[in-house]
Amino acid sequence: MVVKKEITKEQKLSSLESKKSFFLRKMEIADLAEVYKLGELCFRADLWPMLYRGWDEYEVTTMFNTDGDYCFVAENDNYKKGITSEDERIVGFVLGTVMSKPGTAWSYGYIVWICAHSAWQRDGVASKLVDKAVEAFVENEGVRIIMADTDPSNEKAVKFFKKKGFGQERQHVFLASNIENNPHYSHLIHKSRAQALEEQYLKKLRMMAVRSSGLASIKNKKQKPVQKKKSKKKKKN
Ligand SMILES: CC(C)(COP(=O)(O)OP(=O)(O)OC[C@H]1O[C@@H](n2cnc3c(N)ncnc32)[C@H](O)[C@@H]1OP(=O)(O)O)[C@@H](O)C(=O)NCCC(=O)NCCS
């Protein structure tokens, strides 16, 4: 007698989990929104405020328009099979650019943004994406130096880049100032506030002048739509 084994939903899911696979391709217009959303989850304000500040819709669209040859996504194979929902279609992306210094023969490949979906980390997604970007840098521009940067506290990314052979680490210091309390620039804030108040005051004065001259009522009268008088129908007796 053949005993049919019932496969539970959890077993199905875990068997899919173990069959995680993806393919790489150039980023397309249809990917922009999803790439932006995935970046919002990756570049978190609470962890890395500088990364988060630089990430917005314009960053994605601008890089796509200017450096499309160096923008790649990793797409989940299960999406095409209809197994995965839309929010796990793109499981990683890399946005790169090439910078050249005028007057020198050198050009630099720059990994500007790299991200792997949280459910797909340590699955080789970012590794393959960086390989793809570097390949494009070399093939298209003969690049010999690749740069990457991140927040020094972003251990995952630092370990990742080191694993990919990046070294010559330099710390870069970012400074910020709230200019309201900065003795060099606070006068600019006071000046713009004073200007705004003056404009408000002048607006009030202009309105009062218009009201007192009676212009406002004339204007209002002119603007009233002319209503046609309804002709009263004579009641038939
Ligand atoms: C950093 C990041 C892109 C790595 O992506 P990933 O797809 O998980 O990386 P990979 O699976 O390709 O890892 C390749 C190797 O990098 C190293 N590595 C990656 N993540 C690591 C981690 N969390 N801890 C230690 N080593 C790590 C490992 O050596 C790994 O190889 P192994 O898994 O065989 O040991 C990913 O963690 C991420 O998206 N972080 C948030 C976004 C971010 O910080 N981007 C960088 C700044 S723009």
Side-chain angles (χ1 to χ4, degrees):
M1 195 176 91
V2 183
V3 181
K4 255 194 176 178
K5 259 191 186 175
E6 278 234 352
I7 302 168
T8 64
K9 202 178 168 190
E10 285 74 27
Q11 278 171 324
K12 256 188 198 171
L13 276 174
S14 75
S15 80
L16 282 176
E17 282 263 304
S18 59
K19 282 184 199 155
K20 272 182 179 173
S21 65
F22 59 89
F23 65 97
L24 302 187
R25 58 169 174 78
K26 270 197 181 166
M27 187 160 99
E28 293 164 4
I29 286 187
D31 304 321
L32 296 183
E34 211 178 323
V35 164
Y36 166 67
K37 268 194 262 168
L38 185 54
E40 278 281 288
L41 299 173
C42 274
F43 314 120
R44 284 170 46 192
D46 55 333
L47 297 177
W48 311 297
M50 289 307 289
L51 278 184
Y52 178 76
R53 266 177 228 158
W55 183 253
D56 59 26
E57 299 96 321
Y58 300 106
E59 180 71 3
V60 186
T61 49
T62 307
M63 288 213 62
F64 176 68
N65 285 327
T66 58
D67 293 285
D69 284 343
Y70 309 112
C71 296
F72 298 94
V73 295
E75 186 173 325
N76 184 348
D77 279 325
N78 282 337
Y79 177 74
K80 275 207 175 120
K81 293 177 197 158
I83 301 169
T84 310
S85 64
E86 187 121 350
D87 50 309
E88 221 175 287
R89 182 174 72 97
I90 302 296
V91 295
F93 63 82
V94 62
L95 311 183
T97 187
V98 170
M99 297 186 300
S100 14
K101 199 172 157 85
T104 71
W106 290 95
S107 45
Y108 304 80
Y110 178 22
I111 309 285
V112 188
W113 300 99
I114 175 116
C115 167
H117 192 293
S118 58
W120 286 69
Q121 291 185 3
R122 301 303 287 267
D123 283 321
V125 171
S127 181
K128 293 258 165 52
L129 283 164
V130 166
D131 292 350
K132 194 83 182 158
V134 173
E135 217 176 277
F137 291 149
V138 176
E139 274 174 15
N140 299 348
E141 308 267 352
V143 156
R144 291 175 57 188
I145 294 179
I146 316 282
M147 295 192 300
D149 64 343
T150 191
D151 192 291
S153 67
N154 189 352
E155 282 179 25
K156 278 186 191 181
V158 173
K159 280 184 180 153
F160 167 75
F161 285 123
K162 284 192 173 162
K163 179 70 188 280
K164 296 299 289 176
F166 287 72
Q168 299 170 27
E169 199 176 317
R170 303 255 189 291
Q171 296 269 342
H172 190 91
V173 180
F174 278 101
L175 303 154
S177 169
N178 179 344
I179 60 173
E180 209 157 353
N181 311 318
N182 183 320
H184 299 281
Y185 303 113
S186 58
H187 67 280
L188 296 173
I189 298 278
H190 298 312
K191 195 173 151 193
S192 79
R193 268 197 203 133
Q195 265 170 356
L197 279 175
E198 195 181 321
E199 265 163 37
Q200 233 177 349
Y201 176 68
L202 286 173
K203 200 175 162 188
K204 253 189 195 169
L205 277 184
R206 275 197 296 271
M207 276 168 70
M208 276 161 64
V210 167
R211 270 192 208 125
S212 63
S213 68
L215 270 173
S217 54
I218 294 169
K219 256 188 175 181
N220 287 342
K221 265 182 200 164
K222 272 188 182 170
Q223 277 169 359
K224 269 188 188 168
V226 188
Q227 281 180 340
K228 277 183 190 171
K229 275 183 188 171
K230 282 180 191 166
S231 54
K232 284 176 193 168
K233 281 183 187 170
K234 280 179 189 170
K235 278 183 188 171
K236 285 179 186 171
N237 288 326

Short mmCIF file of all heavy atoms in Angstrom, two decimals, residues 39 41-44 48 51 91 93 111-118 120-129 149-151 154-164, ligand 1:
data_model
loop_
_atom_site.label_atom_id
_atom_site.label_comp_id
_atom_site.label_asym_id
_atom_site.label_seq_id
_atom_site.Cartn_x
_atom_site.Cartn_y
_atom_site.Cartn_z
N GLY A 39 16.13 50.29 -1.23
CA GLY A 39 17.17 51.17 -0.67
C GLY A 39 16.70 51.83 0.62
O GLY A 39 17.46 51.98 1.57
N LEU A 41 14.84 50.58 2.80
CA LEU A 41 14.96 49.60 3.88
C LEU A 41 16.43 49.34 4.24
O LEU A 41 16.74 49.06 5.39
CB LEU A 41 14.30 48.27 3.46
CG LEU A 41 12.81 48.32 3.14
CD1 LEU A 41 12.33 46.98 2.60
CD2 LEU A 41 12.00 48.69 4.39
N CYS A 42 17.30 49.45 3.24
CA CYS A 42 18.73 49.14 3.47
C CYS A 42 19.48 50.29 4.13
O CYS A 42 20.24 50.07 5.07
CB CYS A 42 19.42 48.85 2.14
SG CYS A 42 19.29 47.16 1.61
N PHE A 43 19.29 51.50 3.62
CA PHE A 43 20.06 52.65 4.10
C PHE A 43 19.26 53.35 5.20
O PHE A 43 18.58 54.33 4.94
CB PHE A 43 20.41 53.59 2.94
CG PHE A 43 20.93 52.85 1.75
CD1 PHE A 43 20.29 52.90 0.53
CD2 PHE A 43 22.07 52.05 1.85
CE1 PHE A 43 20.75 52.20 -0.56
CE2 PHE A 43 22.54 51.33 0.77
CZ PHE A 43 21.88 51.41 -0.44
N ARG A 44 19.33 52.77 6.39
CA ARG A 44 18.42 53.20 7.46
C ARG A 44 18.90 54.46 8.19
O ARG A 44 20.06 54.58 8.54
CB ARG A 44 18.25 52.05 8.45
CG ARG A 44 17.32 50.96 7.90
CD ARG A 44 17.33 49.76 8.75
NE ARG A 44 17.21 50.06 10.17
CZ ARG A 44 17.43 49.17 11.12
NH1 ARG A 44 17.78 47.95 10.79
NH2 ARG A 44 17.30 49.49 12.38
N TRP A 48 22.61 54.71 9.80
CA TRP A 48 23.59 55.48 9.03
C TRP A 48 22.92 56.72 8.44
O TRP A 48 22.54 56.72 7.25
CB TRP A 48 24.19 54.61 7.92
CG TRP A 48 24.63 53.28 8.43
CD1 TRP A 48 25.62 53.06 9.35
CD2 TRP A 48 24.11 51.99 8.10
NE1 TRP A 48 25.75 51.72 9.60
CE2 TRP A 48 24.83 51.05 8.85
CE3 TRP A 48 23.12 51.56 7.24
CZ2 TRP A 48 24.57 49.69 8.77
CZ3 TRP A 48 22.86 50.22 7.15
CH2 TRP A 48 23.58 49.29 7.91
N LEU A 51 24.14 57.97 4.98
CA LEU A 51 23.72 57.16 3.84
C LEU A 51 22.27 57.47 3.51
O LEU A 51 21.88 57.64 2.36
CB LEU A 51 23.81 55.66 4.18
CG LEU A 51 25.16 54.97 4.08
CD1 LEU A 51 25.00 53.48 4.36
CD2 LEU A 51 25.76 55.15 2.70
N VAL A 91 16.01 41.56 -5.48
CA VAL A 91 16.59 41.16 -4.19
C VAL A 91 17.95 41.82 -3.95
O VAL A 91 18.60 41.55 -2.94
CB VAL A 91 16.69 39.62 -4.06
CG1 VAL A 91 15.30 39.01 -4.02
CG2 VAL A 91 17.52 39.00 -5.18
N PHE A 93 20.66 45.35 -5.59
CA PHE A 93 21.03 46.23 -6.71
C PHE A 93 22.39 46.85 -6.45
O PHE A 93 22.86 46.92 -5.30
CB PHE A 93 19.98 47.33 -6.92
CG PHE A 93 19.81 48.27 -5.75
CD1 PHE A 93 20.68 49.33 -5.56
CD2 PHE A 93 18.79 48.08 -4.84
CE1 PHE A 93 20.54 50.19 -4.48
CE2 PHE A 93 18.64 48.94 -3.75
CZ PHE A 93 19.52 50.00 -3.57
N ILE A 111 31.62 52.34 -6.76
CA ILE A 111 30.40 51.63 -6.33
C ILE A 111 29.67 52.60 -5.40
O ILE A 111 30.03 52.76 -4.24
CB ILE A 111 30.74 50.35 -5.52
CG1 ILE A 111 31.74 49.45 -6.25
CG2 ILE A 111 29.49 49.59 -5.08
CD1 ILE A 111 31.19 48.66 -7.39
N VAL A 112 28.67 53.27 -5.94
CA VAL A 112 28.01 54.32 -5.15
C VAL A 112 27.02 53.72 -4.15
O VAL A 112 27.02 54.06 -2.98
CB VAL A 112 27.30 55.35 -6.07
CG1 VAL A 112 26.79 56.53 -5.27
CG2 VAL A 112 28.25 55.84 -7.16
N TRP A 113 26.19 52.80 -4.63
CA TRP A 113 25.19 52.17 -3.77
C TRP A 113 25.17 50.67 -4.02
O TRP A 113 25.14 50.24 -5.17
CB TRP A 113 23.78 52.71 -4.04
CG TRP A 113 23.64 54.18 -3.82
CD1 TRP A 113 23.67 55.15 -4.79
CD2 TRP A 113 23.43 54.86 -2.58
NE1 TRP A 113 23.52 56.38 -4.22
CE2 TRP A 113 23.37 56.23 -2.85
CE3 TRP A 113 23.31 54.44 -1.26
CZ2 TRP A 113 23.18 57.19 -1.88
CZ3 TRP A 113 23.12 55.40 -0.27
CH2 TRP A 113 23.06 56.75 -0.58
N ILE A 114 25.16 49.90 -2.95
CA ILE A 114 24.99 48.45 -3.09
C ILE A 114 24.11 47.97 -1.96
O ILE A 114 24.23 48.42 -0.83
CB ILE A 114 26.35 47.70 -3.12
CG1 ILE A 114 26.14 46.18 -3.14
CG2 ILE A 114 27.23 48.03 -1.91
CD1 ILE A 114 26.64 45.55 -4.37
N CYS A 115 23.21 47.07 -2.30
CA CYS A 115 22.25 46.64 -1.28
C CYS A 115 21.72 45.24 -1.61
O CYS A 115 21.49 44.91 -2.78
CB CYS A 115 21.11 47.65 -1.29
SG CYS A 115 19.65 47.14 -0.41
N ALA A 116 21.58 44.42 -0.59
CA ALA A 116 20.95 43.10 -0.75
C ALA A 116 19.74 43.06 0.17
O ALA A 116 19.81 43.53 1.32
CB ALA A 116 21.94 42.00 -0.38
N HIS A 117 18.64 42.54 -0.32
CA HIS A 117 17.40 42.37 0.45
C HIS A 117 17.73 41.64 1.75
O HIS A 117 18.52 40.68 1.73
CB HIS A 117 16.44 41.54 -0.40
CG HIS A 117 15.05 41.49 0.09
ND1 HIS A 117 14.71 40.87 1.27
CD2 HIS A 117 13.90 41.99 -0.42
CE1 HIS A 117 13.41 40.98 1.45
NE2 HIS A 117 12.90 41.66 0.44
N SER A 118 17.11 42.06 2.86
CA SER A 118 17.50 41.48 4.16
C SER A 118 17.31 39.95 4.21
O SER A 118 18.06 39.25 4.88
CB SER A 118 16.71 42.14 5.28
OG SER A 118 15.34 41.98 5.04
N TRP A 120 17.88 38.05 1.83
CA TRP A 120 18.79 37.43 0.87
C TRP A 120 20.26 37.75 1.17
O TRP A 120 21.12 37.61 0.31
CB TRP A 120 18.43 37.92 -0.55
CG TRP A 120 17.19 37.30 -1.08
CD1 TRP A 120 15.91 37.53 -0.63
CD2 TRP A 120 17.08 36.33 -2.12
NE1 TRP A 120 15.02 36.78 -1.34
CE2 TRP A 120 15.70 36.03 -2.28
CE3 TRP A 120 18.00 35.70 -2.95
CZ2 TRP A 120 15.25 35.12 -3.21
CZ3 TRP A 120 17.54 34.80 -3.90
CH2 TRP A 120 16.18 34.51 -4.02
N GLN A 121 20.52 38.20 2.39
CA GLN A 121 21.92 38.51 2.70
C GLN A 121 22.70 37.24 2.98
O GLN A 121 22.15 36.25 3.42
CB GLN A 121 21.98 39.51 3.86
CG GLN A 121 21.45 40.87 3.38
CD GLN A 121 21.55 41.99 4.38
OE1 GLN A 121 22.07 41.83 5.46
NE2 GLN A 121 21.04 43.15 4.01
N ARG A 122 23.98 37.27 2.71
CA ARG A 122 24.90 36.13 2.80
C ARG A 122 24.54 35.03 1.79
O ARG A 122 24.86 33.87 1.98
CB ARG A 122 24.96 35.52 4.21
CG ARG A 122 25.40 36.48 5.30
CD ARG A 122 26.76 37.11 5.05
NE ARG A 122 27.91 36.26 5.22
CZ ARG A 122 28.60 36.15 6.34
NH1 ARG A 122 28.23 36.83 7.39
NH2 ARG A 122 29.66 35.37 6.42
N ASP A 123 23.85 35.43 0.70
CA ASP A 123 23.54 34.47 -0.36
C ASP A 123 24.33 34.78 -1.63
O ASP A 123 24.02 34.28 -2.71
CB ASP A 123 22.04 34.49 -0.69
CG ASP A 123 21.22 33.76 0.36
OD1 ASP A 123 21.68 32.71 0.84
OD2 ASP A 123 20.11 34.24 0.69
N GLY A 124 25.29 35.69 -1.49
CA GLY A 124 26.14 36.01 -2.64
C GLY A 124 25.57 37.05 -3.59
O GLY A 124 26.14 37.28 -4.67
N VAL A 125 24.45 37.68 -3.21
CA VAL A 125 23.80 38.65 -4.11
C VAL A 125 24.74 39.83 -4.38
O VAL A 125 25.06 40.15 -5.53
CB VAL A 125 22.45 39.14 -3.50
CG1 VAL A 125 21.89 40.30 -4.30
CG2 VAL A 125 21.45 38.00 -3.45
N ALA A 126 25.19 40.50 -3.31
CA ALA A 126 26.02 41.69 -3.48
C ALA A 126 27.35 41.35 -4.14
O ALA A 126 27.86 42.11 -4.96
CB ALA A 126 26.25 42.35 -2.13
N SER A 127 27.87 40.20 -3.81
CA SER A 127 29.13 39.77 -4.38
C SER A 127 29.04 39.70 -5.91
O SER A 127 29.87 40.24 -6.64
CB SER A 127 29.50 38.42 -3.79
OG SER A 127 30.71 37.99 -4.30
N LYS A 128 27.97 39.05 -6.39
CA LYS A 128 27.77 38.90 -7.84
C LYS A 128 27.52 40.26 -8.49
O LYS A 128 27.96 40.52 -9.61
CB LYS A 128 26.59 37.96 -8.11
CG LYS A 128 26.83 36.53 -7.69
CD LYS A 128 27.16 35.68 -8.91
CE LYS A 128 27.77 34.33 -8.59
NZ LYS A 128 27.06 33.50 -7.63
N LEU A 129 26.78 41.13 -7.78
CA LEU A 129 26.47 42.46 -8.33
C LEU A 129 27.74 43.29 -8.49
O LEU A 129 27.93 43.96 -9.51
CB LEU A 129 25.48 43.19 -7.42
CG LEU A 129 24.01 42.73 -7.54
CD1 LEU A 129 23.20 43.24 -6.35
CD2 LEU A 129 23.39 43.22 -8.85
N ASP A 149 32.64 53.27 -0.67
CA ASP A 149 32.69 53.92 0.65
C ASP A 149 31.42 53.58 1.44
O ASP A 149 30.41 53.20 0.88
CB ASP A 149 32.85 55.44 0.53
CG ASP A 149 31.66 56.11 -0.13
OD1 ASP A 149 30.88 55.39 -0.78
OD2 ASP A 149 31.52 57.32 -0.02
N THR A 150 31.54 53.71 2.73
CA THR A 150 30.39 53.53 3.60
C THR A 150 30.69 54.13 4.97
O THR A 150 31.81 54.59 5.22
CB THR A 150 29.99 52.04 3.73
OG1 THR A 150 28.71 51.97 4.37
CG2 THR A 150 30.98 51.24 4.55
N ASP A 151 29.70 54.11 5.84
CA ASP A 151 29.90 54.61 7.19
C ASP A 151 30.86 53.66 7.92
O ASP A 151 30.74 52.43 7.81
CB ASP A 151 28.52 54.61 7.88
CG ASP A 151 28.52 55.37 9.17
OD1 ASP A 151 29.16 54.87 10.13
OD2 ASP A 151 27.88 56.42 9.23
N ASN A 154 29.42 50.74 9.68
CA ASN A 154 28.68 49.75 8.89
C ASN A 154 29.55 48.50 8.69
O ASN A 154 30.13 48.28 7.63
CB ASN A 154 28.28 50.38 7.55
CG ASN A 154 27.33 49.52 6.76
OD1 ASN A 154 27.06 48.37 7.12
ND2 ASN A 154 26.81 50.07 5.68
N GLU A 155 29.61 47.71 9.76
CA GLU A 155 30.54 46.56 9.77
C GLU A 155 30.29 45.56 8.65
O GLU A 155 31.23 45.04 8.05
CB GLU A 155 30.45 45.84 11.12
CG GLU A 155 31.22 46.56 12.19
CD GLU A 155 31.11 45.87 13.53
OE1 GLU A 155 30.87 44.65 13.57
OE2 GLU A 155 31.25 46.58 14.55
N LYS A 156 28.98 45.31 8.39
CA LYS A 156 28.64 44.35 7.35
C LYS A 156 29.29 44.75 6.04
O LYS A 156 29.92 43.94 5.35
CB LYS A 156 27.12 44.36 7.11
CG LYS A 156 26.30 43.56 8.05
CD LYS A 156 24.87 43.61 7.54
CE LYS A 156 23.89 43.07 8.54
NZ LYS A 156 22.51 43.09 8.05
N ALA A 157 29.11 46.05 5.69
CA ALA A 157 29.62 46.53 4.40
C ALA A 157 31.15 46.53 4.38
O ALA A 157 31.76 46.15 3.38
CB ALA A 157 29.07 47.93 4.12
N VAL A 158 31.77 46.93 5.49
CA VAL A 158 33.23 46.96 5.54
C VAL A 158 33.78 45.55 5.35
O VAL A 158 34.70 45.31 4.56
CB VAL A 158 33.72 47.59 6.88
CG1 VAL A 158 35.23 47.48 7.00
CG2 VAL A 158 33.30 49.06 6.97
N LYS A 159 33.15 44.58 6.06
CA LYS A 159 33.61 43.18 5.93
C LYS A 159 33.40 42.69 4.50
O LYS A 159 34.22 41.98 3.93
CB LYS A 159 32.84 42.28 6.92
CG LYS A 159 33.42 42.40 8.31
CD LYS A 159 32.74 41.46 9.27
CE LYS A 159 33.35 41.59 10.65
NZ LYS A 159 32.42 41.25 11.72
N PHE A 160 32.24 43.10 3.95
CA PHE A 160 31.91 42.68 2.59
C PHE A 160 32.98 43.18 1.60
O PHE A 160 33.54 42.40 0.83
CB PHE A 160 30.52 43.19 2.19
CG PHE A 160 30.24 43.08 0.74
CD1 PHE A 160 29.95 41.84 0.16
CD2 PHE A 160 30.29 44.20 -0.09
CE1 PHE A 160 29.71 41.73 -1.20
CE2 PHE A 160 30.06 44.09 -1.45
CZ PHE A 160 29.76 42.85 -2.01
N PHE A 161 33.26 44.49 1.66
CA PHE A 161 34.23 45.05 0.71
C PHE A 161 35.62 44.45 0.91
O PHE A 161 36.34 44.21 -0.06
CB PHE A 161 34.27 46.58 0.82
CG PHE A 161 33.07 47.25 0.18
CD1 PHE A 161 32.24 48.09 0.91
CD2 PHE A 161 32.76 47.02 -1.15
CE1 PHE A 161 31.13 48.69 0.32
CE2 PHE A 161 31.65 47.62 -1.75
CZ PHE A 161 30.84 48.46 -1.00
N LYS A 162 35.97 44.19 2.16
CA LYS A 162 37.29 43.59 2.41
C LYS A 162 37.35 42.21 1.77
O LYS A 162 38.36 41.82 1.18
CB LYS A 162 37.57 43.53 3.90
CG LYS A 162 37.95 44.90 4.42
CD LYS A 162 38.51 44.86 5.81
CE LYS A 162 39.05 46.23 6.19
NZ LYS A 162 39.20 46.39 7.63
N LYS A 163 36.24 41.45 1.93
CA LYS A 163 36.18 40.11 1.34
C LYS A 163 36.34 40.18 -0.17
O LYS A 163 36.89 39.28 -0.80
CB LYS A 163 34.85 39.44 1.72
CG LYS A 163 34.63 38.06 1.17
CD LYS A 163 35.54 37.02 1.83
CE LYS A 163 35.52 35.67 1.20
NZ LYS A 163 34.43 34.80 1.55
N LYS A 164 35.86 41.30 -0.76
CA LYS A 164 35.95 41.46 -2.21
C LYS A 164 37.30 42.05 -2.62
O LYS A 164 37.47 42.50 -3.76
CB LYS A 164 34.80 42.34 -2.72
CG LYS A 164 33.43 41.77 -2.53
CD LYS A 164 33.19 40.45 -3.26
CE LYS A 164 33.10 40.57 -4.74
NZ LYS A 164 32.97 39.24 -5.40
C1 LIG B 1 26.81 44.81 2.80
C2 LIG B 1 25.81 44.03 1.98
C3 LIG B 1 25.61 44.76 0.65
C4 LIG B 1 26.36 42.63 1.73
O1 LIG B 1 25.46 41.94 0.88
P1 LIG B 1 25.34 40.34 0.82
O2 LIG B 1 24.58 39.99 -0.41
O3 LIG B 1 24.81 39.83 2.10
O4 LIG B 1 26.86 39.89 0.69
P2 LIG B 1 27.40 38.50 0.09
O5 LIG B 1 26.46 37.41 0.46
O6 LIG B 1 27.69 38.66 -1.33
O7 LIG B 1 28.72 38.34 0.95
C5 LIG B 1 30.01 38.16 0.39
C6 LIG B 1 31.01 38.06 1.53
O8 LIG B 1 31.09 39.31 2.23
C7 LIG B 1 31.25 39.06 3.63
N1 LIG B 1 30.05 39.51 4.37
C8 LIG B 1 28.88 39.93 3.87
N2 LIG B 1 28.02 40.25 4.85
C9 LIG B 1 28.66 40.02 5.99
C10 LIG B 1 28.29 40.14 7.36
N3 LIG B 1 27.05 40.56 7.73
N4 LIG B 1 29.20 39.81 8.32
C11 LIG B 1 30.43 39.37 7.98
N5 LIG B 1 30.84 39.22 6.70
C12 LIG B 1 29.96 39.56 5.70
C13 LIG B 1 31.41 37.56 3.80
O9 LIG B 1 32.78 37.25 3.73
C14 LIG B 1 30.65 37.05 2.58
O10 LIG B 1 31.06 35.76 2.15
P3 LIG B 1 30.52 34.42 2.92
O11 LIG B 1 29.03 34.60 3.10
O12 LIG B 1 30.86 33.33 1.97
O13 LIG B 1 31.24 34.37 4.22
C15 LIG B 1 24.45 43.86 2.72
O14 LIG B 1 24.70 43.50 4.05
C16 LIG B 1 23.58 45.10 2.70
O15 LIG B 1 22.78 45.27 1.80
N6 LIG B 1 23.72 46.00 3.69
C17 LIG B 1 22.90 47.21 3.79
C18 LIG B 1 23.27 48.21 2.73
C19 LIG B 1 24.68 48.70 2.85
O16 LIG B 1 25.19 48.88 3.94
N7 LIG B 1 25.35 48.95 1.69
C20 LIG B 1 26.72 49.37 1.66
C21 LIG B 1 26.87 50.86 1.61
S1 LIG B 1 26.31 51.60 0.11
#
